[in-house]
Amino acid sequence: MSPSTFFRQARETVLPVTSNPHGPLPPLLLVWTVVTGLVDAYSYLQLNHVFVANMTGNVVFLGFSFSGVSGFAWWASLLAIVAFMTGAKLGGGFAHVRKPRHRGSLLFRAGMVQMLLFAASALLAFVLPPSQSTASLVMLVIVLSVAMGLQNSIARELSVPDLTTTVLTLTITGLASDGEGSHKTNNAGRRVLSIMSMALGALVGGAMVHVGTGYLALLIAVALTAVITWRAFSLRNVTAEWARLA
């Protein structure tokens, strides 16, 4: 792939062209990917080594716990998985029960709920740090996992290629395997931006925890989700072809 093609793909992800089949969704989902990095960094570093977005990690942690490895609590990983599934179920309800089936409207509803969940989590983390209260730790695992399950479900419904916002395994696989010699096109520019967005969120979230202000990572997640929700609000009545859910 030539550098010009790579940078064109990256530019059109951040600043979509009019003919983009996903309209203005790609940059919003990049921001949502940053949110995932923020929240997962906070949860892993502050909530007893548990992920609230990366459920593959929690399944592995369950295995660690049952094998006797120290530093992992089986109940925290299991709780995160159950709460994540609850959030995903909620997202499925938004997508399949409520009408109209409109991408902007769907993103707006999900963003509103997620923003409130993040705000509640940030307040709880500030008032009652999880390191000082098991009850706070449990509530934070539940609320954050529900929020990320909702996000994962909605991103799946929006179906923008290479922008799942929470899982990068297939994105990294495609980055290496697609392209020349393959029947699949390698949108390397978008894929690299997705990876960088997750890393940026994790970097900022880790830094906040490192300096003893982990709750700020959640406040930043609130702010970024508010931006996504505000933009989705302006898109909820758009009638363009990209706005229709499949």
Side-chain angles (χ1 to χ4, degrees), residues 1 3 27 42 55 68 71 96:
M1 174 182 294
Y42 174 82
M55 292 301 110
H96 302 295

Side-chain angles (χ1 to χ4, degrees), residues 5 22 55 89 130 180 231:
T5 299
H22 304 289
M55 292 301 110
K89 181 68 174 178
E180 187 176 352
R231 181 66 176 126

Side-chain angles (χ1 to χ4, degrees), residues 13 17 27 54 89 91 106 109 119 133 136 138 150 156 159 162 164 177 196 205:
T13 300
V17 295
N54 181 5
K89 181 68 174 178
L106 179 60
R109 290 196 298 265
S133 168
S136 176
V138 169
L150 171 65
R156 185 168 179 263
S159 300
D162 302 310
T164 64
S177 66
M196 291 175 63

Side-chain angles (χ1 to χ4, degrees), residues 212-224:
T213 56
Y215 63 90
L216 288 181
L218 301 181
L219 283 178
I220 296 172
V222 172
L224 293 179

